[in-house]
Amino acid sequence: WHPYPTNPAMITSVEDEVEILHSLQKPKKIGIGGSDGKRYVFLCKPKDDLRKDNRMMEFNTMINKLLQKGPDSRRRNLYLRTYSVIPLSEDCGIIEWVPDTMGLRQILSKLYKRVGITITNATIKHEYENRTTDEEWYTKMLHNFPPVFHIWFLDHFSEATEWFRARTAYAR
């Protein structure tokens, strides 16, 4: 195992367009061209300490090594998907963008929009700041934002057996 590649890709370009995500800290999604011809995507996170995230990825890498040593886990091809986390300081850093993934917030926002419910940070913050008790706020949020995640499963798995196969593959 060699921690440093012999021919690392170098940065050849940085894309002009940056996507600003709609979460609280407004992280930026950037694209970088590599000398190997590949496009690399990263998430630049301001106001977020990524040192714990970095340690978690190091821990997951150790778990993957242990999984490869065990004959049963190796036969079942068990592993944890890891990604690069680079803390730049105590309050910002860069995270490798994992392709073909969607955040839970993005999924739920689309589902709420589909059923005619608009959800914004401002709405939630306003309701929270004007609450009389935490229980009242929680009850109001449940009423205003009913469960919709089941719709995603119905959209993606037309039959229960499809879902079960996907779940089994994920649980491996």
Side-chain angles (χ1 to χ4, degrees), residues 17-157:
E17 291 192 27
V18 173
E19 181 181 347
I20 300 173
L21 303 183
H22 299 289
S23 62
L24 186 61
Q25 302 301 339
K26 305 283 188 220
K28 282 76 176 165
K29 184 177 168 185
I30 63 168
I32 296 174
S35 58
D36 56 0
K38 295 181 182 175
R39 177 179 184 257
Y40 297 90
V41 182
F42 294 93
L43 188 66
C44 301
K45 294 194 75 177
K47 302 175 193 162
D48 199 355
D49 188 351
L50 299 180
R51 292 176 295 179
K52 286 182 186 174
D53 301 62
N54 185 333
R55 299 297 283 172
M56 201 64 211
M57 286 303 113
E58 290 174 358
F59 178 76
N60 288 345
T61 299
M62 289 180 7
I63 295 296
N64 282 339
K65 288 178 184 175
L66 290 172
L67 289 171
Q68 285 305 302
K69 286 183 178 180
D72 287 339
S73 57
R74 193 172 49 248
R75 179 182 47 78
R76 294 173 56 202
N77 196 26
L78 298 179
Y79 70 97
L80 298 172
R81 173 61 168 97
T82 59
Y83 49 89
S84 297
V85 178
I86 306 164
L88 299 174
S89 69
E90 292 87 17
D91 65 349
C92 72
I94 300 172
I95 299 176
E96 175 188 7
W97 187 266
V98 180
D100 302 321
T101 58
M102 270 181 97
L104 183 60
R105 180 190 178 102
Q106 188 179 7
I107 291 168
L108 291 175
S109 292
K110 285 182 179 182
L111 292 171
Y112 278 124
K113 184 182 266 187
R114 202 162 107 188
V115 298
I117 297 173
T118 304
I119 183 171
T120 65
N121 284 344
T123 303
I124 295 170
K125 184 178 179 183
H126 174 76
E127 293 293 341
Y128 186 75
E129 289 172 349
N130 294 312
R131 76 192 186 288
T132 53
T133 66
D134 286 346
E135 185 178 335
E136 174 215 352
W137 177 79
Y138 183 72
T139 303
K140 190 171 191 175
M141 289 295 103
L142 285 178
H143 176 73
N144 291 343
F145 304 107
V148 293
F149 196 44
H150 65 282
I151 299 170
W152 183 87
F153 285 96
L154 294 171
D155 288 348
H156 288 78
F157 304 103

